[in-house]
Each structure stands twice: as C-alpha cells, then as structure tokens.
Amino acid sequence: WPFHPRGKMAEPKKLTRKGKKAKRKAQDAEDQLVESLNASVHPKIAKLDLKLKDRSQRTNPKWTNRQRTLVFSSRGISYRVRHLLHDLRVLMPHSKKDVKMDRKDKLGEIIPEICEMKNCNNCIYFEMRKKQDAYLWLGRMPQGPTAKFLVTNIHTMDELKLTGNCLRGSRPLLQFDAAFDSTPHYKLLKEMFFQAFGTPNQHPKSKAFVDHIMSFHILDNRIWFRNYQVSWKQPGKAGKDEEVKLTEIGPRMVLQVIRIFEGTFGGPTLYENPDYVSPNEVEALLLACIRLLMVRAVCSTEVCLPSKPLLNTSTRLWPKRCMKHTLATWKCQKTKWLQCLAMRRRLL
C-alpha cells in the first residue's frame, strides 16, 4: 500500500458493485482460458481442474457423518488383547485412543464423560478378569444402548503373519451375515457394529480406497470377526468379468453376546443370552470332572465318592482309600489331568 506523505498508511480503495462484477467476469474468463488450454494439452488435466475448481469443496469437504469411536481398555489386560487393541486402531482411521482405566466400577458415569471430552459417539472398551477372560463393551454414547461380549480365539496381525495387506487409512466394506436380519437383537447389534467400525465418507484421516472387507458371521450363536484384503484381477482375453480374490489380513476374534443394556454400561436389560455360560462355571465344572477322573484312575478298586459337592477341591473330601496309595502315582496322575485342563482352557 502507498504511504501518506505525512507517514500514515493510506487506506485501500473499496471496490464498488461494478468493480466487483468486472473482477468476477475477468476471473471467469481466465478460468475458461486455462480450461481450454488444459483440454488441448491432455483431457485428464482438464478433468482434474474441474474437480479442483470449487475451492469451498477443497477447504470444507462434505464430511457429514461425524462418527468417532473411542477404543481403549482397562488395566491388567494381556499382551494379546493389547495387540488386538492396536490392530483395531490401525484399521479404524476414525478412532481415538485414551489411557487405560484404573477403576472397573461406575463405568456408566466415567466412560461417557471421557467420550464427551474426546468428542466420540461410539465406544469400544476391553476389560479382563483373572488375566485370562477378555470382555468387550460396545456402546453408543451418551445414552446407549450397550452390548457386552465374551472375546475368545484372539489372533493378532503380527501373530498370524498372513499374506494379506491393505492401505492404512482406507475405508472398509462391512459384510454381515444374513442371520443378522433374523432376530431383533441381531439387528440392533448389526447397526451398532456398522456405526462403530464403519469409517465415515470423506473423513480427514481416511483415504479414498476400498481394499479390505470386515466380515461378521454368526455360527454356533457366536459372532466371528474376520478382515480380508480385496484384490481385483483384470479380465482375460475372453472378456470375462473381473475376478475378486480375498486374502485374510487379520486380526481374528470370536464374540459371544452376554447381555444388551438399554443405557450406557448398565440399565434395563434388552436381551440376555440364555446359552451363555461364564468361564468361572466352565472352569469349576472341568475341575469337578478332573477330580472325578483322578479318583477313578488312582484307585484300583471301587471307592465311595463323597456325598458333598465335588466343586470343593480340599483334601478332606477325598476318600480315605485313595490316600493309602503312593504319592508318586498320585502326582503323576495329577500332572496329566492338569495338562489336560490347561489345554482345554486354551481351546475355550
């Protein structure tokens, strides 16, 4: 800007309506000239200019679906669950993370506040009991509903070492089994999975590629989660359609529904799985079976089993005739059945 003779800065001249119209016409004429020149050079350059012409669309993308998912866990999780947590964050560009939670009570009061501070409307929360039983909470914030799952058969991407691969930040296709439309609670879970795992269109951290599929299938009253790479083969000389090939990337996990709550991490129960058996009950039943088999294996003759429940593993309830056998034989049988128990728990 020119300076005033006395040292003051001169104010810029304000454009009138006629001046604004003339400037706009000159800018439009210049744009048309550039488009014609680019079209004469190469048609792809002209298409690119047409896409980038609207500056408002470049600066403010049409990101209307503002879904964000908070993915975090409680303290005391195993290394396998921690790696699974990292894999889910990598596959979900719209996810946010937070530090591990110390408290395991009053989840319905603390987690909605964290989601509000992180500006998230979905939550995936992992917790672990006895350092062996993993549970997953999937909920809508801040009003619910919330579903609780038992997580089994966890396999991470580093552990599987599969050949599949996908672009980091690409949007996934969500594929659901037809059984999700059979019952009301599966319809609700389908919508919750769609909103939590689906990456919104034109998300700032997402990339405009679709190269992997997240599949949810129902088998044995459980939800099986898999992640596959999609690769398209070019059509051959015969003019056939493009072939689609799926290659698994990972991670894997199996979810068993425990209960669906109306509120956030609590409230009235919308659905309760009648076929669910807690891991504590399974372990107690296995211990009782192992004790019964040990009694029959150690004793060469028939013995009278105690009348009290077999769930108590104290030595006072063991038959007296079993105690007369050698300690070496008893230890040998005990180690064998404990190995069977450990193998059974890995399969569960």
Side-chain angles (χ1 to χ4, degrees), residues 185-197:
H185 69 279
Y186 277 134
K187 290 182 181 179
L188 177 61
L189 291 176
K190 177 182 177 180
E191 185 65 26
M192 293 172 68
F193 282 128
F194 180 77
Q195 294 182 7
F197 287 91

Side-chain angles (χ1 to χ4, degrees), residues 85-140:
L85 204 68
H86 175 70
D87 293 344
L88 291 178
R89 288 170 180 168
V90 169
L91 293 174
M92 299 163 60
H94 64 289
S95 65
K96 291 190 176 183
K97 61 182 181 180
D98 196 59
V99 297
K100 297 178 181 177
M101 276 191 57
D102 293 327
R103 299 188 60 177
K104 294 186 179 181
D105 57 338
K106 297 182 179 180
L107 298 179
E109 300 177 4
I110 300 173
I111 294 182
E113 293 181 1
I114 299 174
C115 292
E116 186 178 359
M117 289 188 293
K118 294 286 183 177
N119 200 13
C120 296
N121 45 16
N122 297 292
C123 178
I124 296 176
Y125 176 71
F126 285 90
E127 66 175 352
M128 208 156 193
R129 304 287 175 86
K130 297 183 178 180
K131 295 185 179 181
Q132 59 186 5
D133 303 326
Y135 296 92
L136 183 145
W137 291 84
L138 176 67
R140 288 283 299 173

Side-chain angles (χ1 to χ4, degrees), residues 167-186:
L167 183 68
R168 182 165 184 168
S170 60
R171 297 179 63 207
L173 288 174
L174 300 183
Q175 190 262 335
F176 293 93
D177 192 2
F180 275 96
D181 297 329
S182 59
T183 55
H185 69 279
Y186 277 134

Side-chain angles (χ1 to χ4, degrees), residues 11-75:
E11 295 181 358
K13 295 181 179 180
K14 295 182 179 179
L15 293 175
T16 59
R17 291 183 180 179
K18 293 182 179 180
K20 290 180 180 179
K21 287 182 179 179
K23 186 177 180 180
R24 199 174 301 159
K25 286 182 180 179
Q27 189 174 1
D28 293 342
E30 186 180 354
D31 291 343
Q32 290 178 2
L33 180 62
V34 171
E35 288 177 10
S36 62
L37 290 174
N38 290 337
S40 62
V41 175
H42 202 278
K44 289 187 177 180
I45 300 177
K47 290 181 181 179
L48 183 62
D49 288 338
L50 289 174
K51 289 181 181 179
L52 300 179
K53 185 178 178 181
D54 192 3
R55 299 178 182 179
S56 63
Q57 187 175 0
R58 282 185 291 164
T59 55
N60 300 319
K62 296 179 181 179
W63 178 31
T64 56
N65 184 14
R66 301 297 179 106
Q67 297 287 335
R68 301 182 186 88
T69 304
L70 180 66
V71 183
F72 71 121
S73 66
S74 65
R75 292 200 177 274

Side-chain angles (χ1 to χ4, degrees), residues 289-348:
C289 295
I290 288 172
R291 180 184 168 192
L292 179 61
L293 293 174
M294 286 175 64
V295 169
R296 291 180 178 177
V298 174
C299 299
S300 58
T301 58
E302 295 183 1
V303 295
C304 297
L305 295 177
S307 58
K308 293 185 179 181
L310 295 174
L311 299 181
N312 191 355
T313 56
S314 60
T315 55
R316 295 181 181 178
L317 298 179
W318 289 70
K320 294 183 180 179
R321 296 182 64 180
C322 295
M323 298 298 178
K324 296 180 181 179
H325 291 270
T326 59
L327 184 62
T329 307
W330 184 83
K331 283 185 177 180
C332 180
Q333 295 290 337
K334 182 180 178 181
T335 52
K336 287 182 180 179
W337 293 115
L338 287 178
Q339 289 175 0
C340 294
L341 175 61
M343 187 178 298
R344 176 66 176 170
R345 288 175 64 181
R346 287 195 205 102
L347 293 175
L348 288 176

